[in-house]
Amino acid sequence: MRWALVKVCLAVTVMVVVAFAVPLGLVVQEMASDRAVSNAERQAATIGPTLSITTDPVQLRKAVESTEMGAAQRMAVHVPAVGGSPSVDIGHGRAGERAVAQTRSVGRASTVPVAGGGFALLQPVALGSGDIAVVEVLVPESEASNGVATAWLVLAGVGLALVVGSVAVADRLGARLVRPAERLADAAHRLGEGLLGARVPEEGPKELRSAAVAFNSMADQVVELLANERELAADLSHRLRTPLTVLRLNTASLGDGPAAEQTRAAVEQLEREVDTIIRTAREQRPAAAQGPGAGCDASEVIRDRMAFWSALAEDEGREVRLAGVDRTVRIPVARPELAAALDAMLGNVFRHTPEGTPFAVDVHDAGDAVIVLVSDAGGGIADPDAALRRGNDGGRDGSTGLGLDIVRRVAESTGGDVRLGRSVLGGTEVRVWIALDGRARGASARAGRSRRKGRGGRRPHGRGGRPAGGQPT
């Protein structure tokens, strides 16, 4: 669009320059010729009084030589035969007898081309006897075109300046028109890739401003809808799964008997129904990256969630250690998303380790990233890669397909990732790498998805039921 506008302005300007400069140059050329003819007529008129008085060759020669043109040998006088006297030609004539005779017979001034360039002005002058003498004045080509070359150069320079100026102005105007459109297209691509923080500056022409306003409004509505769904899923996770986990653990202390078995069966049935609801809600909402406006204090969220889980940890006799949460650590993740990820990781600790097993939550600020570590002193995972690969269908009882998938999506929305390994406590360690460089989020997330498609290891899908050996969901 930008170059098309430049080409149109270039074509229009060239047409205008040609339409005006060429006629103007021709007018200047014609004016120079007329000026040379007028000057020659004035020079020819200076010899007219002498011809009206005498036709004596000696006197006429003196009169011709006394003029500027005569001294330059550019004037000649052709006197016809008068009263039996022969015709006299004074000076160096160039027009030829035929042209002189024709001018004498017509009685009007005329110009004829001469050899070597230029032309000769033939001016008839009436003698006292009634005959017609012809005064010839040579006008060289240099005088007839005096100033024409300079005029053409000036016109060419002005035309070139107009063309360059119009191209520059068209380019600036085109950039002003195209830049908002390019920003709008880029924002649409980024929004389509899941970068919900993509917005367009509301500037440029009126139509593009209106399009930017509409796009920003649409993006805000998309963010609001997805935020509502995320809040709903997080609310289901917090309100249903966590109490059910506590209730399921407490049913183990009921002992044996029909009532206890019925209670455990009812809890398991209720857990399966809740799993189905949460899994359905998860499948209906697309994964979305965090926009630049989303963010929270990771330390504050971890302290809040640990206050929630501390009651259950105290009941089960678990020792809890927190580190790195005494200072503000800002991350580009919404608070509900981080809370859901923490609940998933802490839920795995309580679900897959025996009562009394200690665990720890650590936060490290690495400058370009924030690392959240959840580790326990349980039995650990013999094969983390296999655990991650096996837990990807979400079809086992007791699994909603959330688990580490929540953690993975939170990390990859910033360009980070999740790794499983052996903790310093001897059990499982879940390492969540949250990148802080928002410019690399989209590319890193896409690269992560590509790597997961190409190989099954290292990147957690985190969905599934209770794998054997205490592997997390």
Side-chain angles (χ1 to χ4, degrees):
M1 179 179 177
R2 178 177 179 180
W3 290 113
L5 183 59
V6 170
K7 291 177 182 177
V8 169
C9 288
L10 177 62
V12 171
T13 305
V14 170
M15 292 173 61
V16 171
V17 169
V18 171
F20 284 92
V22 172
L24 187 58
L26 295 176
V27 169
V28 171
Q29 185 174 350
E30 187 67 24
M31 291 177 60
S33 179
D34 291 343
R35 184 172 59 249
V37 171
S38 298
N39 184 47
E41 289 177 347
R42 287 195 301 271
Q43 294 295 329
T46 59
I47 205 66
T50 304
L51 287 172
S52 64
I53 298 173
T54 181
T55 59
D56 180 53
V58 177
Q59 297 297 327
L60 289 177
R61 187 175 301 277
K62 291 181 179 180
V64 168
E65 292 176 353
S66 64
T67 63
E68 179 183 352
M69 294 297 179
Q73 296 184 356
R74 290 169 51 187
M75 177 182 289
V77 178
H78 305 281
V79 181
V82 179
S85 299
S87 60
V88 178
D89 294 321
I90 299 173
H92 182 62
R94 297 175 178 83
E97 295 182 359
R98 183 177 177 180
V100 172
Q102 184 176 2
T103 302
R104 184 179 291 121
S105 63
V106 174
R108 291 195 307 269
S110 62
T111 58
V112 294
V114 297
F119 59 89
L121 171 68
L122 300 177
Q123 179 69 45
V125 178
L127 302 176
S129 61
D131 295 314
I132 301 298
V134 177
V135 179
E136 176 186 340
V137 178
L138 175 65
V139 179
E141 182 66 27
S142 59
E143 186 174 332
S145 60
N146 184 28
V148 174
T150 302
W152 278 110
L153 289 176
V154 171
L155 291 174
V158 172
L160 181 61
L162 288 175
V163 171
V164 173
S166 68
V167 169
V169 172
D171 182 68
R172 292 297 90 201
L173 291 177
R176 185 167 177 259
L177 291 174
V178 171
R179 193 174 295 114
E182 290 177 343
R183 284 196 294 260
L184 182 60
D186 180 66
H189 286 302
R190 288 188 286 121
L191 184 64
E193 293 173 353
L195 299 177
L196 300 183
R199 295 296 184 273
V200 183
E202 298 172 2
E203 59 187 23
K206 180 179 178 181
E207 294 78 6
L208 291 178
R209 287 201 306 270
S210 300
V213 171
F215 176 86
N216 292 338
S217 177
M218 177 196 68
D220 291 337
Q221 292 180 4
V222 170
V223 171
E224 183 177 357
L225 291 174
L226 292 178
N228 291 336
E229 291 189 5
R230 286 195 299 268
E231 291 176 4
L232 176 61
D235 186 67
L236 288 173
S237 301
H238 298 164
R239 294 178 182 271
L240 299 178
R241 282 302 305 276
T242 301
L244 283 174
T245 301
V246 177
L247 184 60
R248 183 182 56 78
L249 294 174
N250 289 337
T251 56
S253 63
L254 294 179
D256 298 329
E261 292 299 329
Q262 290 178 0
T263 301
R264 282 191 283 268
V267 170
E268 290 179 359
Q269 177 66 26
L270 180 59
E271 193 171 20
R272 282 194 296 269
E273 295 296 333
V274 171
D275 291 346
T276 301
I277 295 174
I278 297 177
R279 186 162 49 247
T280 301
R282 178 181 177 275
E283 291 173 353
Q284 291 178 346
R285 66 186 179 95
Q290 298 297 325
C296 68
D297 179 7
S299 298
E300 192 272 334
V301 176
I302 292 174
R303 290 195 301 267
D304 178 72
R305 297 317 302 158
M306 287 304 301
F308 174 84
W309 288 93
S310 61
L312 181 58
E314 184 177 354
D315 290 342
E316 295 187 356
R318 297 175 182 268
E319 181 183 352
V320 181
R321 181 179 65 84
L322 288 178
V325 297
D326 54 345
R327 63 184 184 279
T328 300
V329 180
R330 298 293 303 181
I331 60 174
V333 176
R335 179 188 177 90
E337 295 288 339
L338 180 59
L342 288 171
D343 286 342
M345 291 185 289
L346 295 174
N348 283 334
V349 174
F350 284 89
R351 180 186 293 263
H352 301 296
T353 60
E355 294 185 9
T357 301
F359 66 94
V361 179
D362 300 294
V363 180
H364 300 280
D365 189 350
D368 61 344
V370 171
I371 303 172
V372 179
L373 299 177
V374 177
S375 54
D376 62 63
I381 302 175
D383 190 350
D385 290 344
L388 295 174
R389 289 197 296 271
R390 284 200 299 267
N392 63 358
D393 58 358
R396 298 185 179 92
D397 291 341
S399 173
T400 64
L402 289 173
L404 289 179
D405 191 59
I406 293 177
V407 183
R408 175 187 60 78
R409 286 186 288 108
V410 168
E412 288 189 351
S413 69
T414 68
D417 62 3
V418 177
R419 302 291 176 92
L420 295 182
R422 177 72 64 174
S423 72
V424 295
L425 300 178
T428 302
E429 177 187 85
V430 180
R431 178 184 296 263
V432 184
W433 184 285
I434 300 175
L436 300 181
D437 186 1
R439 293 172 296 180
R441 289 181 204 166
S444 298
R446 289 192 296 271
R449 287 193 290 269
S450 299
R451 288 193 295 269
R452 289 197 307 278
K453 292 179 180 179
R455 55 185 175 88
R458 304 312 299 171
R459 294 301 180 116
H461 298 283
R463 304 191 318 190
R466 303 181 191 179
Q471 292 167 345
T473 60

